Amino acid sequence: MRITVARTPADLEAFRGGVVVPTMGALHAGHGALIEHASRLAGDSPVVATIFVNPTQFNESRDFDTYPRDLEHDLALAAGAGATCVFAPDVDTVYPAGRDVPVPDLPPVATEPGLEDAHRPGHFQGVCQVVARLFDLTSPTRALFGEKDWQQLAVVRAMARATHPGTEIVGSPTVREAGGLAMSSRNQRLGAADRRRASAISAALAEASRWPSSTRDAEANARRVLLENDLEAEYCVIRDAETLLEASPGRPARALIAAPLGDARLIDNAPWPGFAIPAGA
Ligand code: PAF
């Protein structure tokens, strides 16, 4: 399939108003599924995958420096999944010298839950800054984000409501490896033994769903599964699926886990069936 590689805002002219999939590259089958989802939604409109390793959202320069980059591989994957354009700008195009690229006001879900916001200070500032800038450059009608980064999805959804109301934010389901590990570009940093231990994270999420009558029991038992696999969680919690604050009866809830493992930091989440909304409510 033919794909256009856009490097500058002018190159994007013919591709505005379509469906956008923002990524940092190092594309894997999870991104492939996102782009396929975007193509299904797009009909005849353009499908633009953006590839930009955004320096303003990294907490550690080592993480930024070692973030995997492979544009040739990414172009082939994006084209195969149905993208019509890959926007791969350099840093000066996204952040032109001498011009301030605004950081939108952060919504409460970016600062209050004490999850990624607490463990990666400044991260959502960088994410909101680059996503708003990419939306300005591509003017999408819809933009797709993976559910694996659940708090990011909630943050971008809340931000876009305020800054880009013409862009609908669509979540796309997490794609998993055979053992249950959620696909992520950072999984490339895991050796074989760590990869086996990493599948305890999805097992812990499954365990949480076996304790639907108490958030405390669900959290404790999920944490037990992690510890049995020598994984110490940064957080392992049941929260309201939208605000990411305390879960409450009658509202959808989510189990969320973050755990460091070797050179990687893994995050994952799943719906939590407790507090289910009663049928007919
Ligand atoms: O999820 C990501 O890959 C990044 O945070 C995003 C949304 C592309 C912004 O740089």
Side-chain angles (χ1 to χ4, degrees), residues 68 108 125 239 252 277:
Q125 251 126 308
R239 292 291 177 89
I277 300 170

Side-chain angles (χ1 to χ4, degrees), residues 191-271:
D194 281 346
R195 198 168 273 268
R196 272 193 300 279
R197 276 170 68 209
S199 57
I201 296 180
S202 56
L205 292 169
E207 181 65 21
S209 72
R210 285 183 204 110
W211 301 82
S213 44
S214 148
T215 56
R216 204 180 292 183
D217 289 348
E219 290 171 355
N221 281 287
R223 215 173 265 274
R224 173 182 51 73
V225 170
L226 296 174
L227 285 173
E228 283 165 3
N229 289 276
D230 288 330
L231 288 177
E232 183 117 26
E234 285 176 359
Y235 56 80
C236 173
V237 291
I238 309 296
R239 292 291 177 89
D240 183 280
E242 190 185 343
T243 64
L244 296 184
L245 300 176
E246 200 178 325
S248 51
R251 287 184 52 85
R254 203 92 192 164
L256 302 112
I257 292 176
L261 176 53
D263 281 340
R265 176 177 179 277
L266 303 176
I267 63 173
D268 201 353
N269 66 87

Side-chain angles (χ1 to χ4, degrees), residues 21-25 31 50 52-54 57-58 67 120 123 126-128 130-131 134 144-146 149 152 156 185-186:
V21 181
T23 82
M24 296 207 299
H31 293 110
T50 70
F52 179 64
V53 185
N54 173 36
Q57 72 184 75
F58 282 80
Y67 199 84
R120 303 189 66 188
H123 172 65
V127 169
C128 287
V130 77
V131 169
L134 291 170
L144 273 74
F145 293 81
D149 295 289
Q152 170 173 277
V156 170
S185 304
R186 289 185 176 86

